Amino acid sequence: MISQMFHSGPLLQDLVLGASLYFPPIFKAFLLGLFIWLLIHHLLRDRIYSGEIWHPALMDLSLFVISICGALLLIVNE
């Protein structure tokens, strides 16, 4: 009976697999924010790189951070 309690056969494999595939909320927000940023970047790309904005890379970075924050708010308020 004790050997059945501590048996680490196929019964625990799904727990190990499940534990290794856990995605924390910030990772989900990062992925969702990336997709939001890709959409915004595609829409504003011509204006960002036209010379109207002083530093296009900083604009991209700030849009990316805002997208991640917005995605985290969407996930938390869900």
Side-chain angles (χ1 to χ4, degrees):
M1 173 148 176
I2 292 177
S3 64
Q4 291 176 348
M5 288 175 52
F6 297 110
H7 180 64
S8 61
L11 296 176
L12 295 178
Q13 284 180 355
D14 59 342
L15 295 176
V16 172
L17 180 66
S20 65
L21 291 179
Y22 172 71
F23 293 119
I26 193 67
F27 184 72
K28 294 175 188 176
F30 181 81
L31 285 179
L32 183 60
L34 179 66
F35 287 120
I36 293 170
W37 176 79
L38 284 173
L39 291 173
I40 293 172
H41 178 76
H42 181 69
L43 294 173
L44 298 177
R45 181 177 47 203
D46 295 333
R47 187 162 183 195
I48 290 173
Y49 294 113
S50 68
E52 294 178 27
I53 297 173
W54 173 68
H55 205 293
L58 290 177
M59 182 68 177
D60 273 339
L61 184 62
S62 64
L63 284 175
F64 184 65
V65 170
I66 290 170
S67 298
I68 290 176
C69 290
L72 187 60
L73 282 174
L74 284 174
I75 290 173
V76 168
N77 291 331
E78 198 170 74

